[in-house]
């Protein structure tokens, strides 16, 4: 196989030669460096590369070029090599434009010219680009095939599971001739959809998450029976706990019931997270965190549903849905929250068939030229609105309140106000979702006046319900189901009933010693990605303190 390619585009010959020279010096052994003097020439080169079947790892494009600027070029380059990582070369005066380009073409980085010394300013950026490409890049998408129906909720669930776990696949609509040929070869019929076919020819009919995970090579079974630390939940808090636990020498396993990232992993772009001035997608951030945890030795189990947690002497025992168990000295509960169900006629029946909870990024291509409606006024809803505005003809945000100011960050409100095809309707609720096979219309009530609007896509981002029903009476929770910890457990200075130790619970410790709680599932927590990561790290510090006491 030929070497993957690093492509640079700059209309200034001196700059073009300079960046190519610096790239060859560092990466010439493993990558082929190609340079072009214009966007048009670069696109011609990319088309030829595509025809040859070679891979492009990263593209570095100058922002200011005649005829075709760097943003326009990268937009077209993405059509040819969507997995190639992208960086924009820009002068200091164009920094604002480069940051805006982050939202247009999902640029991974921008580089200020000059980048001297390259060891400090160029190579760390390119290292990040090629590392990400190696993890997520041009793996063959034809290996895993999914045959399903666009308006089938189970088909959507299979696609969503694969996408959120960064598993490439090829989608075939059951109405297509090629889908019919695949079903015939697999000995299946349209009644069996969704059908998943792996690279070795294994056929899965209407598979669940655990079956898909096993088939595509995700880890689902623990390597050991006993650990120092079990982390329940793979959102930012759980990933933070896994990174710090494993890096500090604890035998750590993270258990996630669907895909790492949680709600944050579905965010199209997080722009207020420390250290990412250009913003970062939730998928990128959580994928990096997962790889970081695994680098330090943490196991990550996917598609495992935890249904029980109890103390057995000094051990803390986790029970899975299939009845199997693992035990540990300590536990960090970071199971996060789920979006609350929208209570409106027809919504439940049409979920997965035009009605979606969360951003459902796999639906973005289907929204082209459509009018999309979003329910919710928090940051996740705002990020989704900005994301879908690039695909849909119009996006309408529906909120009960009088404005977004009470629930959304100021930077997002400003972005939304500047995007012409986003509208915010205040004092508005959804009364009913209409449709037979899929969503076709919504009945809205705005300040007492009802209206029916046509739409095929409704995305819901309302409230936060903790996933704690499975805990039973084992851990004390507040009236809303959030787990109480530390000082919140001390009623009038008294320790919680049944507390067996001579000390008060540690700050993030639950009513079971050795079981710590981090992130959104904890009562009184701050619902932000940064605070969740911080609590995950803090929980590991308290785990060490707990283990030293034993």
């Amino acid at each position: 196989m030929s070497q993957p390619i690093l492509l640079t585009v700059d209309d200034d010959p001196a700059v073009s030669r300079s960046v190519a020279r610096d790239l060859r010096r560092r990466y010439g052994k493993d990558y082929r460096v190609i340079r072009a003097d214009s966007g048009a020439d670069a696109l011609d080169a990319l088309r030829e590369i595509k025809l040859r079947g070679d891979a492009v790892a990263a593209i570095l494009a100058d922002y200011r070029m005649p005829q075709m600027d760097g943003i326009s070029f990268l937009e077209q380059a993405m059509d040819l090599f969507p997995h190639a990582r992208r960086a924009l070369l820009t002068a200091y005066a164009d920094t604002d434009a480069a940051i805006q380009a982050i939202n247009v073409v999902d640029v991974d980085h921008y580089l200020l010219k000059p980048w001297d010394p390259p060891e400090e300013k160029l190579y760390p950026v390119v290292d990040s680009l090629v590392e990400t490409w190696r993890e997520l890049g041009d793996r063959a998408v034809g290996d895993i095939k999914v045959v399903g129906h666009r308006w089938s909720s189970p088909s959507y669930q299979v696609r969503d599971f694969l996408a959120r776990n960064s598993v490439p696949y090829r989608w075939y609509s059951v109405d297509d001739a090629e889908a019919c040929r695949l079903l015939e070869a697999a000995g299946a019929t349209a009644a069996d959809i969704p059908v998943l076919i792996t690279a070795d020819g294994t056929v899965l009919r209407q598979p669940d998450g655990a079956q898909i995970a096993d088939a595509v090579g995700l880890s689902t079974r623990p390597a050991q029976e006993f650990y120092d630390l079990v982390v329940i939940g793979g959102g930012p808090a759980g990933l933070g706990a896994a990174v710090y636990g494993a890096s500090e020498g604890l035998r750590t396993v993270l258990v996630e019931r669907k895909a790492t990232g949680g709600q944050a992993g579905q965010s199209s772009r997080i722009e207020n997270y420390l250290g990412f001035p250009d913003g970062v997608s939730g998928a990128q951030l959580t994928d990096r965190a997962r790889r970081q945890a695994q680098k330090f030795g943490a196991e990550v189990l996917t598609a495992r549903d935890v249904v029980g947690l109890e103390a057995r002497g000094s051990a803390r025992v986790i029970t899975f849905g299939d009845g199997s168990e693992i035990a540990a000295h300590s536990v960090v509960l970071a199971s996060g929250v789920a979006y609350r169900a929208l209570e409106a006629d027809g919504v439940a029946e049409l979920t997965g068939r035009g009605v979606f909870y969360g951003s459902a990024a796999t639906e973005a291509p289907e929204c082209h030229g459509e009018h999309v409606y979003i329910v919710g006024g928090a940051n996740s809803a705002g990020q989704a609105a900005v994301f879908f505005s690039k695909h849909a003809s119009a996006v309408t945000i529906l909120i009960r309140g009088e404005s977004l100011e009470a629930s959304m960050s100021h930077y997002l409100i400003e972005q939304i106000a500047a995007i012409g095809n986003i509208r915010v309707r205040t004092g508005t609720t959804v009364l009913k979702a209409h449709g037979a096979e899929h969503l076709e219309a919504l009945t809205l009530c705005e300040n007492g006046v009802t209206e029916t609007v046509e739409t095929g896509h409704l995305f819901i981002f309302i409230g936060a319900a903790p996933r704690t029903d499975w805990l039973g009476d084992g851990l004390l929770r507040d009236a809303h189901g959030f787990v109480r910890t530390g000082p919140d457990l001390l009623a009038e200075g008294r320790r919680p009933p049944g507390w067996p130790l001579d000390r008060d619970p540690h700050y993030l410790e639950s009513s079971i010693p050795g079981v710590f709680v981090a992130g959104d599932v904890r009562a009184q927590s701050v619902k932000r990605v940064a605070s969740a990561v911080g609590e995950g790290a803090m929980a590991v510090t308290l785990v060490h303190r707990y283990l030293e006491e034993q």
Side-chain angles (χ1 to χ4, degrees):
M1 177 179 288
S2 62
Q3 291 177 312
I5 290 165
L6 301 179
L7 175 69
T8 73
V9 191
D10 199 303
D11 66 303
D12 185 328
V15 174
S16 180
R17 287 192 297 270
S18 177
V19 67
R21 179 201 64 219
D22 287 342
L23 289 175
R24 290 192 181 101
R25 183 182 302 162
R26 173 73 169 243
Y27 305 100
K29 183 178 180 181
D30 300 310
Y31 294 85
R32 187 152 52 100
V33 178
I34 295 177
R35 65 185 182 92
D37 296 329
S38 71
D41 288 346
L43 288 173
D44 287 340
L46 288 174
R47 293 185 188 102
E48 184 177 341
I49 292 166
K50 189 74 173 179
L51 290 174
R52 290 201 307 265
D54 293 337
V56 177
I59 302 171
L60 286 73
D62 184 41
Y63 171 60
R64 287 184 177 270
M65 294 188 294
Q67 286 81 50
M68 181 187 300
D69 64 23
I71 297 173
S72 299
F73 161 72
L74 288 174
E75 283 185 291
Q76 296 184 54
M78 286 172 64
D79 294 334
L80 293 166
F81 290 93
H83 298 293
R85 311 325 297 174
R86 298 168 290 278
L88 200 64
L89 301 173
T90 180
Y92 182 80
D94 295 320
T95 298
D96 289 342
I99 293 173
Q100 291 172 9
I102 300 292
N103 296 320
V104 176
V105 291
D106 197 22
V107 174
D108 296 286
H109 294 277
Y110 71 85
L111 277 165
L112 289 176
K113 299 187 292 185
W115 51 83
D116 189 59
E119 290 77 12
E120 294 181 12
K121 297 183 179 180
L122 175 65
Y123 296 153
V125 170
V126 179
D127 284 347
S128 176
L129 294 175
V130 297
E131 178 187 357
T132 303
W133 176 81
R134 280 197 299 265
E135 291 292 332
L136 304 176
D138 286 338
R139 294 174 287 183
V141 297
D143 287 349
I144 296 172
K145 306 175 181 67
V146 178
V147 180
H149 193 284
R150 175 185 174 186
W151 299 118
S152 159
S153 181
S155 296
Y156 162 71
Q157 291 168 7
V158 170
R159 296 172 66 190
D160 187 57
F161 182 89
L162 292 170
R164 292 185 60 188
N165 282 287
S166 300
V167 178
Y169 67 94
R170 188 179 296 277
W171 165 256
Y172 296 88
S173 174
V174 70
D175 301 323
D176 295 340
E178 182 63 21
C180 295
R181 287 190 285 268
L182 286 170
L183 289 177
E184 182 179 359
T189 68
D192 296 319
I193 64 168
V195 173
L196 185 146
I197 305 168
T198 66
D200 63 5
T202 300
V203 178
L204 302 180
R205 296 168 174 82
Q206 301 177 7
D208 60 25
Q211 292 171 322
I212 298 171
D214 284 335
V216 302
L218 299 176
S219 180
T220 61
R221 295 174 179 83
Q224 306 176 46
E225 294 183 354
F226 197 92
Y227 294 84
D228 295 318
L229 172 63
V230 174
V231 181
I232 303 174
L239 288 166
V243 167
Y244 281 91
S247 67
E248 294 172 13
L250 298 178
R251 290 171 298 168
T252 302
V253 59
L254 183 149
V255 181
E256 169 55 46
R257 70 186 187 92
K258 187 170 184 181
T260 52
Q263 287 189 0
Q266 295 180 278
S267 294
S268 55
R269 183 152 298 276
I270 302 169
E271 297 186 72
N272 58 351
Y273 188 71
L274 185 68
F276 290 87
D278 307 327
V280 61
S281 74
Q284 287 177 321
L285 180 65
T286 55
D287 177 74
R288 292 175 183 180
R290 175 186 56 79
R291 290 189 283 117
Q292 192 175 15
Q294 291 175 315
K295 180 189 77 171
F296 288 124
E299 290 181 47
V300 178
L301 306 183
T302 306
R304 295 307 302 264
D305 200 14
V306 178
V307 298
L309 167 61
E310 62 177 310
R312 296 182 192 168
S314 62
R316 302 296 175 259
V317 180
I318 304 300
T319 303
F320 295 116
D322 62 1
S324 61
E325 297 179 340
I326 56 173
H329 291 301
S330 60
V331 171
V332 172
L333 177 62
S335 53
V337 296
Y339 292 116
R340 287 205 309 267
L342 178 62
E343 302 294 336
D345 291 344
V347 167
E349 293 80 2
L350 293 171
T351 297
R353 297 187 290 135
V355 175
F356 306 96
Y357 287 88
S359 61
T362 54
E363 288 298 305
E366 307 295 344
C367 295
H368 181 73
E370 301 287 329
H371 191 155
V372 168
Y373 284 79
I374 292 174
V375 179
N379 278 7
S380 54
Q383 290 159 353
V386 172
F387 172 71
F388 283 112
S389 70
K390 303 168 192 172
H391 301 271
S393 61
V395 177
T396 297
I397 302 174
L398 308 174
I399 60 172
R400 292 176 179 267
E402 297 180 356
S403 71
L404 295 172
E405 275 74 9
S407 54
M408 190 177 292
S409 294
H410 179 68
Y411 81 91
L412 263 179
I413 295 174
E414 287 191 326
Q415 277 189 25
I416 288 169
I419 298 174
N421 64 339
I422 299 180
R423 177 189 178 193
V424 180
R425 292 182 60 166
T426 60
T428 305
T429 57
V430 177
L431 297 182
K432 187 174 182 178
H434 306 267
E437 291 188 353
H438 58 87
L439 178 67
E440 298 173 1
L442 297 171
T443 297
L444 309 178
C445 179
E446 181 175 358
N447 298 318
V449 179
T450 61
E451 174 191 7
T452 298
V453 296
E454 293 185 0
T455 184
H457 289 86
L458 174 67
F459 299 92
I460 302 168
F461 302 82
I462 55 171
R467 298 174 179 153
T468 56
D469 292 344
W470 59 274
L471 289 170
D473 298 326
L475 272 69
L476 293 181
R477 290 167 283 166
D478 65 14
H480 302 288
F482 294 93
V483 181
R484 297 167 57 191
T485 59
D488 194 34
L489 291 168
L490 304 177
E492 298 178 356
R494 295 192 299 273
R495 293 167 183 161
W499 180 258
L501 303 180
D502 291 334
R503 61 165 176 81
D504 290 345
H506 294 307
Y507 181 68
L508 298 180
E509 197 167 20
S510 71
S511 53
I512 297 179
V515 176
F516 298 85
V517 188
D520 290 357
V521 72
R522 188 179 68 84
Q524 310 299 325
S525 66
V526 177
K527 305 299 189 284
R528 286 289 185 269
V529 174
S531 61
V533 173
E535 286 191 6
M538 186 191 304
V540 171
T541 299
L542 298 174
V543 164
H544 283 294
R545 189 177 303 175
Y546 168 78
L547 294 177
E548 290 168 359
E549 297 168 352
Q550 303 308 299

